[in-house]
């Protein structure tokens, strides 16, 4: 009975400590105004992306053509003006948030899962396994990420899914390196040695003990990479290798608007601003998370 109470008390104390730690991190995060601004913008964009289908009719409001109102300047009727086919640019930019954010998040998820898996294996086991994984990573890193993504999209064909795969694969080396470095700092600590001494299986040690204690830099890298992935995806769409028309992905809107940039600069201004503010928001939040999660910066 005493052992049961002691165990229950220990679990409760551990939960309280964990809660206090989370509250402390959140308090420090809130003190960073830039990070809070980034978080606010991201939450707003996600809400816009999730509600786009409820607010707009895709066939009528987003891709429906109205040649009588083509190339209208921004006004109260059309806040961002209209494009060469009479489509409301404001609606297209709003709906484009669905494509750009989902592409950024899913592509980063591909890079995160794959890169964390191989990075953890390389960092934990070392030796020949580490050499093979890191040399492959070096080869991938030697190719500029945008060129690697272009090669993948060209091989697979231009589509939204292939764009996500291409951008995700191009981000794998970053996650492999950051995960390996984090695991190397953790793998020889006493609690890992204790788990090995108790006969815990290697894969359980990696999942339950190593990765949870190596997450901080991975989380920061994920946030920062999401912004760069959105830029990469927009760049590929700008080149005609991304989301096919008439879908209003921000890079595609930029590409379509450049033909009329002399007389109708708003066609590139508003999609460009959407990309800029989204990437800025992820970078601000990433910098804030780095300040919060880096123990060297803890006051």
């Amino acid at each position: 009975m005493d052992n049961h109470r002691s165990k229950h008390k220990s679990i409760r104390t551990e939960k309280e400590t964990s809660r206090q730690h989370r509250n402390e991190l959140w308090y420090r995060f809130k003190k960073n105004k830039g990070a809070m601004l980034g978080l606010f913008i991201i939450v707003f964009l996600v809400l816009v992306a999730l509600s786009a289908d409820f607010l707009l009719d895709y066939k009528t409001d987003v891709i429906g053509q109205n040649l009588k109102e083509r190339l209208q300047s921004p006004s109260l009727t059309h806040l961002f003006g209209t494009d060469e086919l009479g489509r409301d640019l404001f609606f297209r930019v709003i709906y484009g948030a669905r494509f750009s954010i989902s592409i950024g998040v899913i592509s980063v998820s591909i890079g995160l899962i794959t890169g964390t898996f191989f990075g953890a294996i390389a960092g934990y086991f070392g030796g020949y396994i580490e050499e093979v994984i890191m040399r492959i990573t070096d080869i991938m890193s030697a190719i500029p990420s945008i060129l690697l993504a272009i090669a993948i999209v060209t091989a697979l064909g231009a589509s939204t899914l292939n764009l996500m795969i291409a951008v995700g694969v191009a981000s794998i080396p970053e996650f492999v390196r950051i995960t390996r470095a984090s695991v190397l700092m953790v793998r020889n600590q006493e609690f890992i040695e204790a788990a090995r001494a108790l006969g815990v299986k290697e894969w359980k040690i990696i999942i339950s003990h190593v990765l949870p204690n190596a997450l901080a830099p991975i989380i920061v890298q994920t946030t920062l990479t999401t912004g760069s992935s959105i830029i990469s995806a927009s760049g590929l769409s700008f080149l005609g290798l991304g989301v096919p028309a008439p879908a209003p992905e921000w890079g595609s809107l930029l590409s379509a608007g450049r033909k009329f940039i002399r007389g109708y600069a708003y066609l590139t201004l508003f999609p460009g601003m959407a990309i800029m503010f989204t990437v800025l928001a992820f970078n601000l939040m990433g910098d804030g998370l780095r300040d919060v999660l880096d123990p060297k910066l803890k006051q």
Side-chain angles (χ1 to χ4, degrees):
M1 180 67 71
D2 290 339
N3 289 337
H4 178 72
R5 288 179 179 176
S6 177
K7 184 177 181 181
H8 180 71
K9 184 178 180 180
S10 176
I11 293 173
R12 185 173 59 186
T13 303
E14 185 177 344
K15 288 182 178 180
E16 290 176 355
T17 303
S18 177
R19 189 184 304 112
Q20 290 175 357
H21 181 63
R22 288 196 301 269
N23 291 338
E24 180 186 356
L25 292 178
W26 173 241
Y27 173 75
R28 295 180 64 207
F29 185 82
K30 287 194 298 183
K31 289 175 64 178
N32 189 317
K33 295 180 180 179
M36 289 301 294
L37 175 61
L39 178 62
F40 174 79
I41 295 174
I42 291 170
V43 171
F44 174 75
L45 289 172
V46 169
L47 291 176
V48 168
L50 292 175
S51 60
D53 268 336
F54 300 100
L55 298 174
L56 303 171
D57 182 271
Y58 183 71
K59 292 185 178 180
T60 303
D61 298 326
V62 181
I63 64 173
Q65 301 179 13
N66 185 1
L67 296 179
K68 294 180 180 180
E69 297 189 3
R70 67 188 300 269
L71 298 175
Q72 296 283 325
S73 299
S75 63
L76 293 177
T77 305
H78 304 289
L79 294 180
F80 290 176
T82 61
D83 63 9
E84 71 279 11
L85 297 176
R87 297 172 295 196
D88 191 294
L89 188 60
F90 176 73
F91 292 159
R92 287 175 65 76
V93 170
I94 290 294
Y95 205 93
R98 294 197 63 175
F99 290 95
S100 295
I101 292 178
S102 62
I103 289 170
V105 171
I106 294 175
S107 61
V108 167
S109 299
I110 294 171
L112 171 65
I113 294 171
T114 308
T116 301
F117 174 77
F118 286 107
I121 291 176
Y124 184 80
F125 291 105
Y128 177 74
I129 295 175
E130 181 183 18
E131 282 295 320
V132 171
I133 292 175
M134 296 314 297
R135 295 300 75 77
I136 294 174
T137 301
D138 289 339
I139 293 171
M140 293 180 67
S141 299
I143 306 172
S145 58
I146 189 67
L147 291 182
L148 180 60
I150 289 174
I152 294 173
V153 172
T154 304
L156 298 179
S159 71
T160 304
L161 177 61
N162 293 340
L163 178 61
M164 294 175 182
I165 294 173
V167 177
V169 170
S171 68
I172 288 176
E174 300 174 5
F175 286 105
V176 172
R177 292 182 181 281
I178 198 74
T179 303
R180 172 183 171 272
S182 300
V183 170
L184 286 173
M185 297 176 62
V186 175
R187 69 176 184 179
N188 291 324
Q189 294 190 12
E190 292 181 358
F191 64 93
I192 302 297
E193 296 293 342
R196 290 197 191 102
L198 291 172
V200 180
K201 294 181 179 179
E202 301 286 5
W203 66 270
K204 283 189 176 181
I205 294 176
I206 295 174
I207 294 174
S208 302
H209 300 288
V210 175
L211 284 179
N213 288 280
L215 274 181
I218 298 174
I219 292 172
V220 174
Q221 184 65 36
T222 300
T223 309
L224 296 174
T225 304
T226 302
S228 61
S229 294
I230 291 174
I231 292 179
S232 298
S234 298
L236 290 173
S237 295
F238 183 84
L239 296 172
L241 297 173
V243 180
E249 200 274 333
W250 291 337
S252 299
L253 295 181
L254 278 175
S255 180
R258 64 177 173 169
K259 304 172 186 175
F260 306 92
I261 194 170
R262 285 183 177 273
Y264 308 95
Y266 63 85
L267 290 175
T268 56
L269 174 64
F270 293 114
M273 289 179 63
I275 296 171
M276 182 188 74
F277 283 117
T278 303
V279 175
L280 176 64
F282 277 104
N283 288 344
L284 286 173
M285 194 171 78
D287 287 338
L289 286 173
R290 180 167 52 199
D291 294 344
V292 170
L293 297 175
D294 190 343
K296 296 178 182 178
L297 299 175
K298 186 175 179 179
Q299 297 177 352

